Amino acid sequence: MSDSKDVASAQYGNYWRQMRSICVLHLLSAKKVQSFGSVREEEVSVMIEEIKQVALGKRYSGERGTKLREPLNEMMDRLGGIVIGDYIPWLDWLGTANGMYGRAKRVAKQLDVFFDEVVDDHVSKREHDGHGYDDDEEEQNDLVDILLNIQKTEATGFQIDRTTIKALIMYLLNPRVDNDRTLETPNCDAELQGEVRNVVSSKTRVTEEDLSSMHYMKAVVKETFRLHPPAPLLLPRESMVDTKVMGYDIAKGTQVIVNAWAIGRDPSYWEQPLEFQPERFLNSSIDLKGHDFEVIPFGAGRRGCPGITFAMNEIELVLANLVHHFNWEVPSGVQGLQTLDIAETTGLSMRRKFPLMAIASHPA
């Protein structure tokens, strides 16, 4: 669908630098992320599981939500699959014979049609209003509007087409992480809930201003990312020059895969690496922005994910509101949290193989 025009799959060069610039300066800057704060809080207040409005301009639920969610999930599974032809070119025909390429093309077509509808909706609205949007106008309230404005004004110094717009929308919707991992440790749940409710006090909901005071909650999110990075193998890289790593000669053009999942569980870096212990981050300077290679769920360097600020604001706000509004328990019949099946799926993004069933109840 994207024709290698998104930030993740584009080859390094001038086009990739321009696309990353659009993300960093126009879509995901600190100012722009902050401007979407009211949207995130509105979505969380009605307990929408995943925030889509800031990207697409409206809520996509029911049948239309399924048109996005199901093919997007399947696409992530396909992208994370092993394509034998990438490593043994003369066996590439197997991808056609086993139907892998056909299924991938079908899903890509479904997403392409969906995102065409999204862009058409925005174009029609702009034409109906009779004007475009300047970069700072309040009417420009979602990411698609920003991209259409860039297309119209050539604000980046070069022209972007509809394929590029759809590719960037797809790229920005892909990252995902489950927030239910904290249910693995009951002591963690109690401390997390106590901190959130103490900070929020008598207010009816958590706002983004409250998050800076929730140090244990932030540690819980970091520990979750350490054990369960959303993209366990990150995105494949390619060496640009011949180099030597730990005594091994790496030729130019070699595909490099970084195992963030294994790094986060490496006993060389972590004490009791398989234990869920948020406390390890309370007095630690380690962040998730790619400066500390012990935990890199968003990657690092020039090809690191530019959406980390957006993602962290969303995840922390959702998690804090969930534990503020409800008490959580596993269903009756489950003999303790240790018996929960926390197996994970394979794919470009990692999620639970079996959905977590949890019972929400209002605090006494």
Side-chain angles (χ1 to χ4, degrees):
M1 185 193 81
S2 67
D3 195 27
S4 295
K5 288 194 170 185
D6 63 278
V7 179
S9 61
Q11 289 289 328
Y12 179 75
N14 185 61
Y15 176 83
W16 176 83
R17 287 191 292 268
Q18 296 285 4
M19 288 300 97
R20 184 172 175 83
S21 176
I22 289 177
C23 289
V24 173
L25 299 179
H26 296 276
L27 302 179
L28 298 171
S29 67
K31 179 181 178 181
K32 186 60 67 177
V33 171
Q34 184 179 15
S35 74
F36 289 138
S38 61
V39 180
R40 284 190 293 272
E41 291 178 6
E42 177 190 356
E43 292 292 300
V44 172
S45 69
V46 293
M47 303 311 294
I48 299 297
E49 184 178 353
E50 295 179 345
I51 297 175
K52 303 297 182 184
Q53 182 180 355
V54 292
L56 304 182
K58 64 175 71 174
R59 293 190 180 99
Y60 285 84
S61 57
E63 181 179 352
R64 202 169 191 196
T66 301
K67 288 173 62 177
L68 170 64
R69 184 171 54 255
E70 291 184 354
L72 192 62
N73 287 341
E74 186 174 352
M75 178 60 76
M76 291 302 96
D77 292 340
R78 299 286 171 232
L79 290 175
I82 296 176
V83 180
I84 191 68
D86 288 348
Y87 304 95
I88 308 176
W90 66 271
L91 289 178
D92 187 60
W93 60 272
L94 288 174
T96 301
N98 63 20
M100 175 181 288
Y101 293 161
R103 290 191 295 271
K105 289 179 180 179
R106 173 180 53 79
V107 174
K109 179 62 176 178
Q110 290 176 330
L111 290 172
D112 192 50
V113 171
F114 179 86
F115 289 128
D116 262 327
E117 293 176 0
V118 171
V119 176
D120 287 340
D121 286 345
H122 284 71
V123 171
S124 297
K125 182 179 184 301
R126 292 161 68 93
E127 292 175 349
H128 181 267
D129 292 342
H131 61 80
Y133 299 140
D134 294 330
D135 191 52
D136 293 327
E137 285 193 35
E138 292 183 0
E139 293 170 290
Q140 182 181 305
N141 58 4
D142 63 66
L143 304 182
V144 182
D145 283 329
I146 298 172
L147 291 171
L148 289 172
N149 186 63
I150 293 172
Q151 182 187 47
K152 181 177 180 180
T153 62
E154 299 186 33
T156 60
F158 78 108
Q159 182 65 44
I160 64 174
D161 57 21
R162 176 173 284 225
T163 300
T164 298
I165 291 175
K166 292 186 293 183
L168 285 173
I169 298 172
M170 174 80 171
Y171 171 74
L172 293 169
L173 286 180
N174 277 345
R176 50 185 299 158
V177 64
D178 293 329
N179 291 314
D180 51 32
R181 300 292 186 180
T182 57
L183 286 169
E184 293 174 9
T185 311
N187 292 336
C188 163
D189 292 344
E191 187 162 350
L192 172 61
Q193 192 171 65
E195 177 187 68
V196 171
R197 291 179 180 176
N198 180 62
V199 170
V200 178
S201 187
S202 60
K203 293 197 303 184
T204 58
R205 64 177 181 175
V206 182
T207 66
E208 294 194 355
E209 293 181 354
D210 299 319
L211 299 178
S212 60
S213 300
M214 298 180 183
H215 305 295
Y216 188 78
M217 184 272 295
K218 291 180 179 292
V220 167
V221 173
K222 286 183 178 180
E223 180 71 342
T224 301
F225 273 128
R226 181 186 71 83
L227 281 171
H228 308 285
L233 299 180
L234 301 184
L235 293 175
R237 308 291 183 94
E238 184 176 294
S239 60
M240 299 177 64
V241 296
D242 294 339
T243 188
K244 185 181 290 288
V245 177
M246 298 177 66
Y248 293 93
D249 293 317
I250 309 298
K252 176 182 177 180
T254 300
Q255 187 181 91
V256 179
I257 297 176
V258 179
N259 192 336
W261 184 92
I263 293 173
R265 296 165 181 251
D266 190 335
S268 301
Y269 301 114
W270 307 100
E271 294 184 6
Q272 297 180 298
L274 301 183
E275 298 295 322
F276 189 85
Q277 298 177 359
E279 293 78 11
R280 71 175 84 238
F281 287 104
L282 288 178
N283 297 308
S284 170
S285 62
I286 292 177
D287 64 26
L288 305 179
K289 298 179 181 179
H291 302 140
D292 304 289
F293 292 166
E294 299 97 321
V295 53
I296 48 173
F298 295 93
R302 288 179 297 190
R303 301 299 292 238
C305 177
I308 179 172
T309 301
F310 184 95
M312 294 303 294
N313 281 14
E314 177 183 334
I315 291 164
E316 291 178 358
L317 189 65
V318 170
L319 177 58
N321 273 280
L322 285 175
V323 299
H324 172 58
H325 285 280
F326 303 101
N327 293 332
W328 294 92
E329 296 179 343
V330 293
S332 59
V334 177
Q335 300 300 316
L337 295 176
Q338 298 301 322
T339 65
L340 285 174
D341 189 340
I342 59 172
E344 295 161 327
T345 63
T346 58
L348 187 62
S349 63
M350 185 167 64
R351 56 189 184 275
R352 302 183 74 105
K353 185 175 183 179
F354 305 104
L356 174 67
M357 304 300 294
I359 299 173
S361 60
H362 289 288

